[in-house]
Amino acid sequence: DVNVEKFMVGELCIAVTQVSGTFASGEGLRVIVEGKDEVSGKYKTIYDSYDKTGGMITSPTTLWEPITDLAFRLLRVRWEISGTDPSFTFSVSMQAKA
């Protein structure tokens, strides 16, 4: 978990620099950012690359996405990778303002 309590808004950057493998429909890379409810310990999705791009990521790309309401103090990033011999080199970062 990453503490973002000092910030109100952010700009998420997903930079996919290398991709290899074979991908059928519905396969590839999916990046998800979640906020943590500190009372229950449960996570809520606040960003999903699948929803924003209309599918899985299967080629090098850079995605910029505003996060306009950082209501959660703690965030985490998780990802799903599928395909035949899939390999992805990518980073996830966020610039934020108080």
Side-chain angles (χ1 to χ4, degrees):
D1 293 341
V2 175
N3 186 332
V4 296
E5 71 181 321
K6 296 179 183 179
F7 307 107
M8 298 299 289
V9 296
E11 189 77 19
L12 183 70
C13 178
I14 300 171
V16 180
T17 55
Q18 292 185 359
V19 176
S20 64
T22 304
F23 308 102
S25 179
E27 294 182 330
L29 170 67
R30 180 179 188 174
V31 178
I32 300 144
V33 178
E34 299 174 321
K36 183 178 185 178
D37 176 66
E38 294 182 72
V39 175
S40 68
K42 298 190 182 290
Y43 290 88
K44 178 183 178 188
T45 298
I46 62 171
Y47 173 83
D48 186 337
S49 65
Y50 186 88
D51 295 337
K52 295 295 181 177
T53 62
M56 302 293 265
I57 300 167
T58 58
S59 61
T61 189
T62 300
L63 303 173
W64 289 95
E65 191 65 38
I67 306 294
T68 56
D69 183 14
L70 289 173
F72 294 93
R73 185 175 75 87
L74 300 173
L75 299 182
R76 74 174 180 185
V77 176
R78 67 181 181 87
W79 54 90
E80 300 170 1
I81 295 175
S82 58
T84 303
D85 297 321
S87 178
F88 291 86
T89 301
F90 68 98
S91 64
V92 180
S93 60
M94 185 172 73
Q95 301 298 313
K97 287 185 179 181

